[in-house]
Amino acid sequence: MAMWGSLFKQGKWVTKRFLFRNSDIITLKAQISDTANSSCVVQDPTRLEIVSALLWKSLMAVSKVRFGTQRPSLLTHLVNLRRRIDEALCPQHTMGNLFGFVAVEHLSDHVKGLEELVGKLRNAISKVDSEFVEELQGNKGMSILQESLRAIGETGSKSEVDYFGFSSWCNFEFYDADFGWGKPTWVTSVPSTGSVFMNLIILVDTRLRDGIEAWVTLDEQDMTHLIADTELLTYATLDPSPLAMSSFS
């Protein structure tokens, strides 16, 4: 399946960190509740949904600035299946990865409001429930996965489509890990090397769980536009010191 057109890129890339304090996420949540109409209202949106939707909205705005038009956008979000599967089949502390993913498209020529993007995310993620996991374990499991990949590939293989891959490490309790020399002050990922990259956003809890840190990897030119997005920077702090992150108010 050819998804290379929009999934992987070659060139100069950069990773920046955006810190979303819980207080700012609560402000966004209130705004979503105030502006949402009956057709797209999301009851009690999660921190993950709110931060993902705001970043996606900003990334689509960056694309419009760069290309002069609103291009189609494809977002995928990895989903942890451990919480959706019978614990007898997959005990909580079993080693290895067990995840699925959902895809959300935005194909219109204008960026939707934040509440509508949150609704799109909620609708997609909510479909990955215990019933869906049971279907994956059944005889039709392989065909379900193949159809999902086919649908994503059909959109993702087009070079004029912007692809953004999201992965949440929230609630993984990394900061509780202690291998004998104390718990970590700051958890981060290993940086990539080389000229091949993808638009990747990783979300992780802060040490005190008082915010979400987003690690965003983009083309250098796209990142220049993103860090100038005034709406995004109203609710996020760019590249804060890891040592100071646990003491913000």
Side-chain angles (χ1 to χ4, degrees):
M1 183 177 299
M3 290 181 62
W4 297 90
S6 61
L7 179 54
F8 292 103
K9 299 183 177 184
Q10 187 166 11
K12 294 182 178 181
W13 55 270
V14 64
T15 298
K16 294 286 187 180
R17 297 180 297 113
F18 297 84
L19 174 63
F20 297 85
R21 297 174 173 84
N22 281 349
S23 57
D24 291 319
I25 297 174
I26 291 172
T27 298
L28 284 167
K29 183 175 181 178
Q31 292 178 1
I32 291 170
S33 299
D34 290 341
T35 59
N37 57 51
S38 58
S39 64
C40 63
V41 63
V42 174
Q43 297 295 330
D44 195 24
T46 66
R47 298 189 310 154
L48 172 66
E49 291 168 342
I50 293 170
V51 171
S52 298
L54 179 60
L55 283 167
W56 191 22
K57 184 173 184 285
S58 296
L59 290 165
M60 285 193 283
V62 165
S63 177
K64 187 171 184 178
V65 169
R66 180 168 180 179
F67 296 102
T69 184
Q70 189 62 65
R71 288 154 51 103
S73 183
L74 173 66
L75 175 152
T76 60
H77 223 304
L78 295 183
V79 179
N80 183 10
L81 297 182
R82 290 183 180 275
R83 298 186 180 94
R84 297 167 170 84
I85 196 170
D86 188 341
E87 189 172 352
L89 299 175
C90 182
Q92 181 180 358
H93 299 296
T94 302
M95 294 292 290
N97 295 322
L98 184 60
F99 64 87
F101 60 89
V102 298
V104 186
E105 297 177 350
H106 178 74
L107 304 179
S108 66
D109 58 359
H110 70 282
V111 177
K112 292 181 177 291
L114 186 61
E115 71 281 357
E116 295 175 274
L117 297 179
V118 167
K120 278 177 171 281
L121 284 167
R122 168 67 64 86
N123 183 58
I125 294 175
S126 64
K127 292 179 180 178
V128 185
D129 53 16
S130 58
E131 182 177 339
F132 176 78
V133 173
E134 287 184 10
E135 290 181 353
L136 289 181
Q137 295 174 288
N139 295 330
K140 296 182 179 180
M142 184 59 66
S143 62
I144 292 173
L145 289 175
Q146 290 175 338
E147 175 59 25
S148 297
L149 290 173
R150 184 204 63 78
I152 293 173
E154 185 176 330
T155 301
S157 62
K158 300 174 183 177
S159 59
E160 70 275 10
V161 173
D162 295 318
Y163 170 80
F164 304 105
F166 281 72
S167 179
S168 173
W169 295 4
C170 294
N171 300 317
F172 275 14
E173 301 180 349
F174 291 124
Y175 286 101
D176 292 332
D178 187 343
F179 297 97
W181 53 84
K183 296 181 180 180
T185 299
W186 182 50
V187 173
T188 184
S189 65
V190 177
S192 301
T193 60
S195 60
V196 177
F197 70 99
M198 63 183 293
N199 295 330
L200 179 64
I201 299 90
I202 297 177
L203 307 177
V204 62
D205 288 314
T206 57
R207 185 169 68 89
L208 297 180
R209 295 181 176 84
D210 42 12
I212 291 179
E213 191 177 8
W215 308 329
V216 182
T217 299
L218 295 175
D219 171 87
E220 278 188 336
Q221 187 174 348
D222 289 339
M223 185 62 76
T224 298
H225 294 302
L226 184 65
I227 63 177
D229 187 310
T230 55
E231 180 183 13
L232 177 62
L233 296 182
T234 299
Y235 305 103
T237 302
L238 177 64
D239 284 336
S241 167
L243 297 178
M245 280 169 45
S246 298
S247 61
F248 59 67
S249 58

